[in-house]
Amino acid sequence: MEAYTFNTSESYAESLDEKAELTMFRDEFYLQNDHYYMDGNSLGLLSKRAEQTLLNSLEDWKRHGIDGWMTGKQPWFYLSEKIGAKLAPLVGAKEVEVIATGSITANIHQLIATFYHPDGKRKKILADELTFPSDIYALQSQISLKNLDPVEDLIRVKSRDGRTINEEDIIAAMTDEVALILMPSVLYRSGQMLDMERLTKEAHQRGILIGFDLAHSAGAIPHELHNWEVDFAMWCNYKYLNGGPGSVGGLFVHEKHFGTLPGLTGWFSSKKEKQFDMEHVLTPAETAGAFQIGTPHVLSAAPILGSLEIFHEAGMENIRRKSLSLTRYMMDLIDHELQGMGFAITNPSDDRFRGGHVCLEHDEAARICKALKEKHVTPDFRAPNVIRLAPIALYTSYHDIWKMVQILKTIMKEEQYKKFKNEREVVA
Ligand SMILES: *Cc1c(COP(=O)(O)O)cnc(C)c1O
């Protein structure tokens, strides 16, 4: 690697693009001219390959009707397993440990229903107070279903600074009252990355099961779920993995737990060869496939197949290296160009603790985001004061980042944001 000789010029941004890795993938995505998409951490863009595998499934339906389950370009009966096997290297799992199914929230319900067995004093679930609300709602309802108290029995580790969670505080909260832990790999707002290997070790030393929500790391960061001996994990495929709006999610169950009866069962939990015996006694699959429930959402899964080819060709280590370089460049540029304008970068700066996005705080964040959208920059806003900006390794250029920062600088200098109300939209 060359020495990092940062400067704020446009030509410097262009020179970074000339030297950059992974630039051949940008043309595979549907980018709009003169638009700067910084929201690939909420909804990744469509690639031509994802479009093609979706069209393949439509074609299979068109030509084969019901026979599409077993014939055609992408037979539907094994599609979830096939995608699971392709997802496995991205999360550091064996092929049989991953299945494409459900959504993050549905998969939390499935995996908590499976692994949460309150026993006497050891009856609490440990999460954190900065976690995404849906995860908390799911945990609360799972606790209620056990006739326990969703207030008393859900511990949420407190944040010292309102942005990050100190790992020492998580470990200190792993008492003998805790049955199970669910933590994010990367916090959705500040982009803080937790040390999953360390937390797993600490949890297991205390006899506690631990799972991770990989929403903000799947497709952005390499994982070693199997070697770390993580018990379970879930993620969506529509953020960094570019599977499309509402695309089917993914889950991981460590092979040491194969044979554990899923908390929620259905006919797709079956061993594939037994499913159509139509017996009233379930014979569960001996893989993560057992954690499926009903018929797969084929049209919401098909694009993932094409999208994952790109990840395999690019390689997760390369994606992570480029992502770190893009976010580093963005932070440096913001520091230099937006000084004295009321912004604070509040994601961890250290590469070891930084996820895939930059977290920019400003008191006027809601209307600054509206002004950015008017100028064809797509950020995302998290109330009350956060602008999240995610440069994506597969399709964002250094020059895109340079343009975005220049647009933001003009918005601030000319106070263009003041014509908007400082309130969020219904969907932010
Ligand atoms: C995006 C996200 C979700 C969304 O869950 P769905 O069930 O896919 O709607 C849940 N948790 C986290 C941490 C997220 O980032």
Side-chain angles (χ1 to χ4, degrees):
M1 282 279 281
E2 282 177 55
Y4 191 65
T5 50
F6 174 81
N7 79 63
T8 61
S9 70
E10 183 168 19
S11 60
Y12 179 67
E14 287 165 344
S15 76
L16 289 176
D17 281 319
E18 278 162 27
K19 283 180 285 186
E21 297 179 274
L22 306 181
T23 49
M24 62 289 225
F25 296 107
R26 180 173 165 95
D27 281 348
E28 300 217 24
F29 287 87
Y30 287 98
L31 296 158
Q32 304 291 316
N33 279 337
D34 301 318
H35 279 64
Y36 305 96
Y37 192 76
M38 299 291 157
D39 207 7
N41 61 328
S42 280
L43 179 65
L45 291 179
L46 176 64
S47 65
K48 289 168 190 167
R49 286 197 246 189
E51 178 182 48
Q52 187 55 54
T53 50
L54 172 57
L55 290 173
N56 289 349
S57 283
L58 282 172
E59 182 68 21
D60 286 343
W61 179 23
K62 203 187 282 177
R63 294 175 54 133
H64 304 291
I66 187 79
D67 292 331
W69 285 102
M70 292 306 274
T71 59
K73 291 184 171 160
Q74 296 160 188
W76 309 323
F77 192 57
Y78 296 102
L79 187 62
S80 310
E81 285 76 11
K82 190 169 165 186
I83 295 171
K86 285 179 185 284
L87 282 164
L90 276 61
V91 294
K94 294 189 175 180
E95 291 188 352
V96 290
E97 290 175 321
V98 178
I99 190 80
T101 190
S103 66
I104 294 181
T105 314
N107 290 339
I108 293 174
H109 278 292
Q110 169 65 296
L111 294 168
I112 301 302
T114 303
F115 292 110
Y116 178 42
H117 299 291
D119 181 14
K121 187 176 163 201
R122 199 183 273 286
K123 60 172 187 168
K124 300 191 179 188
I125 294 182
L126 184 64
D128 72 271
E129 68 167 1
L130 299 180
T131 282
F132 197 86
S134 201
D135 299 40
I136 293 294
Y137 304 157
L139 295 176
Q140 288 167 335
S141 59
Q142 287 294 326
I143 291 169
S144 298
L145 283 168
K146 294 281 197 300
N147 290 321
L148 293 169
D149 182 346
V151 177
E152 177 91 348
D153 295 316
L154 178 62
I155 307 167
R156 288 177 296 159
V157 177
K158 291 224 174 333
S159 166
R160 298 183 192 187
D161 60 3
R163 299 180 178 112
T164 57
I165 299 288
N166 193 303
E167 285 173 11
E168 302 301 332
D169 295 344
I170 301 174
I171 293 164
M174 295 179 185
T175 66
D176 57 6
E177 294 190 333
V178 175
L180 179 148
I181 302 170
L182 179 66
M183 287 282 155
S185 50
V186 170
L187 275 65
Y188 79 96
R189 191 187 299 257
S190 68
Q192 177 198 4
M193 182 166 80
L194 294 174
D195 184 340
M196 288 176 262
E197 182 176 17
R198 176 183 184 206
L199 294 176
T200 301
K201 228 176 237 142
E202 297 287 347
H204 288 170
Q205 275 170 16
R206 293 162 178 79
I208 306 171
L209 294 176
I210 186 164
F212 290 95
D213 180 338
L214 311 181
H216 286 275
S217 63
I221 291 164
H223 308 71
E224 289 292 337
L225 295 183
H226 179 85
N227 291 339
W228 296 339
E229 297 196 35
V230 168
D231 293 291
F232 60 91
M234 71 297 292
W235 60 91
C236 60
N237 291 313
Y238 52 75
K239 289 173 177 162
Y240 289 96
L241 287 164
N242 310 321
S247 69
V248 173
L251 67 75
F252 160 88
V253 172
H254 197 283
E255 69 177 354
K256 67 188 168 192
H257 294 302
F258 289 176
T260 302
L261 191 69
L264 310 172
T265 50
W267 73 320
F268 269 82
S269 315
S270 299
K271 204 168 168 170
K272 304 294 276 185
E273 315 82 77
K274 290 283 292 175
Q275 181 169 343
F276 280 85
D277 289 353
M278 307 307 258
E279 289 169 353
H280 279 190
V281 177
L282 170 68
T283 307
E286 287 152 352
T287 64
F291 298 87
Q292 300 175 88
I293 303 173
T295 306
H297 305 174
V298 171
L299 299 183
S300 297
I304 306 168
L305 211 49
S307 179
L308 288 176
E309 284 178 17
I310 300 178
F311 283 83
H312 290 182
E313 285 171 29
M316 272 319 302
E317 296 291 340
N318 299 330
I319 288 171
R320 173 61 170 162
R321 191 165 55 246
K322 173 122 184 230
S323 162
L324 282 170
S325 168
L326 289 166
T327 48
R328 173 68 59 204
Y329 175 68
M330 185 186 277
M331 293 189 296
D332 285 347
L333 208 49
I334 288 169
D335 270 343
H336 281 82
E337 295 285 72
L338 306 179
Q339 247 177 36
M341 293 178 170
F343 288 103
I345 296 173
T346 57
N347 54 276
S349 172
D350 191 324
D351 287 4
R352 287 171 305 163
F353 307 117
R354 184 164 94 254
H357 69 265
V358 169
C359 177
L360 196 56
E361 293 185 18
H362 196 288
D363 291 343
E364 308 281 358
R367 50 182 175 170
I368 292 171
C369 283
K370 291 177 194 173
L372 281 167
K373 285 212 155 171
E374 187 190 47
K375 301 292 178 198
H376 301 164
V377 174
T378 307
D380 93 357
F381 171 67
R382 285 289 171 263
N385 65 342
V386 164
I387 304 171
R388 291 191 310 185
L389 297 164
I392 302 300
L394 293 172
Y395 55 76
T396 307
S397 66
Y398 291 90
H399 188 255
D400 289 343
I401 295 171
W402 186 86
K403 281 294 286 192
M404 182 277 288
V405 173
Q406 297 311 310
I407 290 168
L408 186 50
K409 190 175 173 181
T410 305
I411 287 170
M412 300 314 293
K413 268 192 168 161
E414 297 180 3
E415 301 189 334
Q416 290 169 1
Y417 61 90
K418 289 201 168 160
K419 67 179 178 186
F420 300 96
K421 279 199 182 138
N422 199 31
E423 292 169 355
R424 71 167 168 83
E425 306 290 335
V426 173
V427 175

PDB file of all heavy atoms in Angstrom, residues 103-106 132 134-135 188 213 215-216 236 238-239, ligand 1:
ATOM      1  N   SER A 103     -37.425 -13.114   7.496  1.00  0.00           N
ATOM      2  CA  SER A 103     -36.882 -11.758   7.552  1.00  0.00           C
ATOM      3  C   SER A 103     -36.075 -11.707   8.842  1.00  0.00           C
ATOM      4  O   SER A 103     -36.112 -12.657   9.628  1.00  0.00           O
ATOM      5  CB  SER A 103     -38.015 -10.739   7.613  1.00  0.00           C
ATOM      6  OG  SER A 103     -38.718 -10.877   8.838  1.00  0.00           O
ATOM      7  N   ILE A 104     -35.383 -10.625   9.088  1.00  0.00           N
ATOM      8  CA  ILE A 104     -34.631 -10.554  10.345  1.00  0.00           C
ATOM      9  C   ILE A 104     -35.561 -10.807  11.524  1.00  0.00           C
ATOM     10  O   ILE A 104     -35.292 -11.659  12.373  1.00  0.00           O
ATOM     11  CB  ILE A 104     -33.965  -9.169  10.521  1.00  0.00           C
ATOM     12  CG1 ILE A 104     -32.899  -8.959   9.456  1.00  0.00           C
ATOM     13  CG2 ILE A 104     -33.377  -9.034  11.929  1.00  0.00           C
ATOM     14  CD1 ILE A 104     -32.178  -7.638   9.578  1.00  0.00           C
ATOM     15  N   THR A 105     -36.672 -10.077  11.545  1.00  0.00           N
ATOM     16  CA  THR A 105     -37.540 -10.157  12.723  1.00  0.00           C
ATOM     17  C   THR A 105     -38.149 -11.558  12.856  1.00  0.00           C
ATOM     18  O   THR A 105     -38.184 -12.118  13.957  1.00  0.00           O
ATOM     19  CB  THR A 105     -38.641  -9.084  12.639  1.00  0.00           C
ATOM     20  OG1 THR A 105     -38.054  -7.843  12.254  1.00  0.00           O
ATOM     21  CG2 THR A 105     -39.321  -8.910  13.987  1.00  0.00           C
ATOM     22  N   ALA A 106     -38.607 -12.113  11.734  1.00  0.00           N
ATOM     23  CA  ALA A 106     -39.180 -13.469  11.788  1.00  0.00           C
ATOM     24  C   ALA A 106     -38.105 -14.469  12.229  1.00  0.00           C
ATOM     25  O   ALA A 106     -38.386 -15.390  13.001  1.00  0.00           O
ATOM     26  CB  ALA A 106     -39.732 -13.862  10.425  1.00  0.00           C
ATOM     27  N   PHE A 132     -31.815  -1.948  17.387  1.00  0.00           N
ATOM     28  CA  PHE A 132     -32.931  -1.666  16.480  1.00  0.00           C
ATOM     29  C   PHE A 132     -34.252  -2.096  17.140  1.00  0.00           C
ATOM     30  O   PHE A 132     -34.338  -3.197  17.693  1.00  0.00           O
ATOM     31  CB  PHE A 132     -32.695  -2.455  15.193  1.00  0.00           C
ATOM     32  CG  PHE A 132     -33.499  -1.999  14.022  1.00  0.00           C
ATOM     33  CD1 PHE A 132     -33.056  -0.974  13.213  1.00  0.00           C
ATOM     34  CD2 PHE A 132     -34.710  -2.619  13.722  1.00  0.00           C
ATOM     35  CE1 PHE A 132     -33.796  -0.569  12.117  1.00  0.00           C
ATOM     36  CE2 PHE A 132     -35.458  -2.212  12.620  1.00  0.00           C
ATOM     37  CZ  PHE A 132     -34.999  -1.178  11.815  1.00  0.00           C
ATOM     38  N   SER A 134     -37.122  -3.317  16.237  1.00  0.00           N
ATOM     39  CA  SER A 134     -37.791  -4.578  15.887  1.00  0.00           C
ATOM     40  C   SER A 134     -37.194  -5.748  16.669  1.00  0.00           C
ATOM     41  O   SER A 134     -37.920  -6.657  17.106  1.00  0.00           O
ATOM     42  CB  SER A 134     -37.676  -4.826  14.379  1.00  0.00           C
ATOM     43  OG  SER A 134     -38.671  -5.709  13.947  1.00  0.00           O
ATOM     44  N   ASP A 135     -35.881  -5.722  16.867  1.00  0.00           N
ATOM     45  CA  ASP A 135     -35.223  -6.795  17.625  1.00  0.00           C
ATOM     46  C   ASP A 135     -35.751  -6.813  19.054  1.00  0.00           C
ATOM     47  O   ASP A 135     -36.010  -7.878  19.630  1.00  0.00           O
ATOM     48  CB  ASP A 135     -33.700  -6.591  17.637  1.00  0.00           C
ATOM     49  CG  ASP A 135     -33.093  -6.602  16.236  1.00  0.00           C
ATOM     50  OD1 ASP A 135     -33.708  -6.027  15.311  1.00  0.00           O
ATOM     51  OD2 ASP A 135     -32.002  -7.171  16.053  1.00  0.00           O
ATOM     52  N   TYR A 188     -26.747  -0.135  14.332  1.00  0.00           N
ATOM     53  CA  TYR A 188     -27.322   0.429  13.114  1.00  0.00           C
ATOM     54  C   TYR A 188     -27.155   1.935  13.006  1.00  0.00           C
ATOM     55  O   TYR A 188     -27.103   2.487  11.915  1.00  0.00           O
ATOM     56  CB  TYR A 188     -28.813   0.046  13.007  1.00  0.00           C
ATOM     57  CG  TYR A 188     -29.752   0.862  13.858  1.00  0.00           C
ATOM     58  CD1 TYR A 188     -30.430   1.951  13.336  1.00  0.00           C
ATOM     59  CD2 TYR A 188     -29.974   0.550  15.202  1.00  0.00           C
ATOM     60  CE1 TYR A 188     -31.309   2.698  14.113  1.00  0.00           C
ATOM     61  CE2 TYR A 188     -30.829   1.287  15.981  1.00  0.00           C
ATOM     62  CZ  TYR A 188     -31.498   2.357  15.441  1.00  0.00           C
ATOM     63  OH  TYR A 188     -32.345   3.111  16.218  1.00  0.00           O
ATOM     64  N   ASP A 213     -27.268 -10.303  15.367  1.00  0.00           N
ATOM     65  CA  ASP A 213     -28.014  -9.747  14.246  1.00  0.00           C
ATOM     66  C   ASP A 213     -27.001  -9.086  13.315  1.00  0.00           C
ATOM     67  O   ASP A 213     -26.375  -8.085  13.684  1.00  0.00           O
ATOM     68  CB  ASP A 213     -29.039  -8.737  14.772  1.00  0.00           C
ATOM     69  CG  ASP A 213     -29.856  -8.112  13.642  1.00  0.00           C
ATOM     70  OD1 ASP A 213     -29.389  -8.112  12.488  1.00  0.00           O
ATOM     71  OD2 ASP A 213     -30.963  -7.611  13.938  1.00  0.00           O
ATOM     72  N   ALA A 215     -27.437  -7.549  10.466  1.00  0.00           N
ATOM     73  CA  ALA A 215     -28.057  -6.643   9.483  1.00  0.00           C
ATOM     74  C   ALA A 215     -27.036  -5.702   8.852  1.00  0.00           C
ATOM     75  O   ALA A 215     -27.052  -5.473   7.648  1.00  0.00           O
ATOM     76  CB  ALA A 215     -29.162  -5.825  10.148  1.00  0.00           C
ATOM     77  N   HIS A 216     -26.152  -5.150   9.677  1.00  0.00           N
ATOM     78  CA  HIS A 216     -25.221  -4.137   9.169  1.00  0.00           C
ATOM     79  C   HIS A 216     -23.804  -4.652   8.977  1.00  0.00           C
ATOM     80  O   HIS A 216     -22.871  -3.858   8.849  1.00  0.00           O
ATOM     81  CB  HIS A 216     -25.269  -2.883  10.056  1.00  0.00           C
ATOM     82  CG  HIS A 216     -26.525  -2.119   9.808  1.00  0.00           C
ATOM     83  ND1 HIS A 216     -26.649  -1.204   8.785  1.00  0.00           N
ATOM     84  CD2 HIS A 216     -27.741  -2.196  10.391  1.00  0.00           C
ATOM     85  CE1 HIS A 216     -27.879  -0.730   8.760  1.00  0.00           C
ATOM     86  NE2 HIS A 216     -28.567  -1.317   9.727  1.00  0.00           N
ATOM     87  N   CYS A 236     -30.577  -9.663   6.983  1.00  0.00           N
ATOM     88  CA  CYS A 236     -31.410  -9.473   5.793  1.00  0.00           C
ATOM     89  C   CYS A 236     -30.496  -9.464   4.585  1.00  0.00           C
ATOM     90  O   CYS A 236     -29.288  -9.254   4.697  1.00  0.00           O
ATOM     91  CB  CYS A 236     -32.197  -8.173   5.881  1.00  0.00           C
ATOM     92  SG  CYS A 236     -31.149  -6.735   6.022  1.00  0.00           S
ATOM     93  N   TYR A 238     -31.298  -7.483   1.905  1.00  0.00           N
ATOM     94  CA  TYR A 238     -31.650  -6.299   1.092  1.00  0.00           C
ATOM     95  C   TYR A 238     -30.762  -5.099   1.382  1.00  0.00           C
ATOM     96  O   TYR A 238     -30.850  -4.113   0.679  1.00  0.00           O
ATOM     97  CB  TYR A 238     -33.133  -5.923   1.280  1.00  0.00           C
ATOM     98  CG  TYR A 238     -33.603  -5.751   2.712  1.00  0.00           C
ATOM     99  CD1 TYR A 238     -33.269  -4.633   3.465  1.00  0.00           C
ATOM    100  CD2 TYR A 238     -34.409  -6.723   3.312  1.00  0.00           C
ATOM    101  CE1 TYR A 238     -33.710  -4.484   4.770  1.00  0.00           C
ATOM    102  CE2 TYR A 238     -34.849  -6.590   4.619  1.00  0.00           C
ATOM    103  CZ  TYR A 238     -34.493  -5.459   5.343  1.00  0.00           C
ATOM    104  OH  TYR A 238     -34.932  -5.329   6.641  1.00  0.00           O
ATOM    105  N   LYS A 239     -29.907  -5.160   2.396  1.00  0.00           N
ATOM    106  CA  LYS A 239     -29.033  -4.017   2.703  1.00  0.00           C
ATOM    107  C   LYS A 239     -27.759  -4.156   1.863  1.00  0.00           C
ATOM    108  O   LYS A 239     -27.809  -3.999   0.653  1.00  0.00           O
ATOM    109  CB  LYS A 239     -28.779  -3.942   4.204  1.00  0.00           C
ATOM    110  CG  LYS A 239     -30.042  -3.501   4.967  1.00  0.00           C
ATOM    111  CD  LYS A 239     -29.943  -3.547   6.464  1.00  0.00           C
ATOM    112  CE  LYS A 239     -31.241  -3.009   7.090  1.00  0.00           C
ATOM    113  NZ  LYS A 239     -31.429  -3.391   8.479  1.00  0.00           N
TER     114      LYS A 239
HETATM  115  C1  LIG B   1     -32.816  -3.500   8.996  1.00  0.00           C
HETATM  116  C2  LIG B   1     -32.886  -4.082  10.354  1.00  0.00           C
HETATM  117  C3  LIG B   1     -33.987  -4.841  10.764  1.00  0.00           C
HETATM  118  C4  LIG B   1     -35.194  -5.026   9.884  1.00  0.00           C
HETATM  119  O1  LIG B   1     -35.807  -6.240  10.131  1.00  0.00           O
HETATM  120  P1  LIG B   1     -36.780  -6.906   9.062  1.00  0.00           P
HETATM  121  O2  LIG B   1     -37.422  -8.010   9.779  1.00  0.00           O
HETATM  122  O3  LIG B   1     -35.936  -7.350   7.902  1.00  0.00           O
HETATM  123  O4  LIG B   1     -37.757  -5.851   8.644  1.00  0.00           O
HETATM  124  C5  LIG B   1     -33.949  -5.431  12.018  1.00  0.00           C
HETATM  125  N1  LIG B   1     -32.877  -5.259  12.833  1.00  0.00           N
HETATM  126  C6  LIG B   1     -31.817  -4.521  12.464  1.00  0.00           C
HETATM  127  C7  LIG B   1     -30.660  -4.370  13.400  1.00  0.00           C
HETATM  128  C8  LIG B   1     -31.791  -3.895  11.231  1.00  0.00           C
HETATM  129  O5  LIG B   1     -30.756  -3.144  10.888  1.00  0.00           O
END
